[in-house]
Amino acid sequence: MTKPIKRLYRSRKDRIIGGVCGGIARYLEVDPVVARLIWAVATLVSMGLGILAYLIAWVIIPEEPKR
């Protein structure tokens, strides 16, 4: 049997701003809080580049389809 292809979507359920971290967390099968903490630390370490990366991801990653 073939495994279904995993797709990265912005989350409709686990969202605070745009659903990017919630979608990444679902794709990696981790808690959304972990994804948000890692993103926040990466933003602080990179002197704010995480904010730009978040905005780009918000535009590029499609929203989760309605079920």
Side-chain angles (χ1 to χ4, degrees):
M1 279 202 177
T2 60
K3 259 177 114 174
I5 297 173
K6 284 175 60 173
R7 295 196 163 259
L8 177 60
Y9 292 110
R10 288 185 291 124
S11 177
R12 288 182 181 269
K13 180 184 166 205
D14 294 320
R15 76 179 343 161
I16 291 184
I17 298 176
V20 174
C21 289
I24 291 172
R26 183 172 293 166
Y27 183 80
L28 298 175
E29 298 176 0
V30 297
D31 191 66
V33 174
V34 173
R36 291 183 187 110
L37 285 173
I38 291 171
W39 200 289
V41 169
T43 299
L44 292 173
V45 170
S46 68
M47 295 182 276
L49 286 177
I51 295 171
L52 179 62
Y54 190 91
L55 293 173
I56 292 170
W58 194 350
V59 170
I60 292 175
I61 299 172
E63 192 169 46
E64 181 177 40
K66 293 181 182 179
R67 296 180 191 220

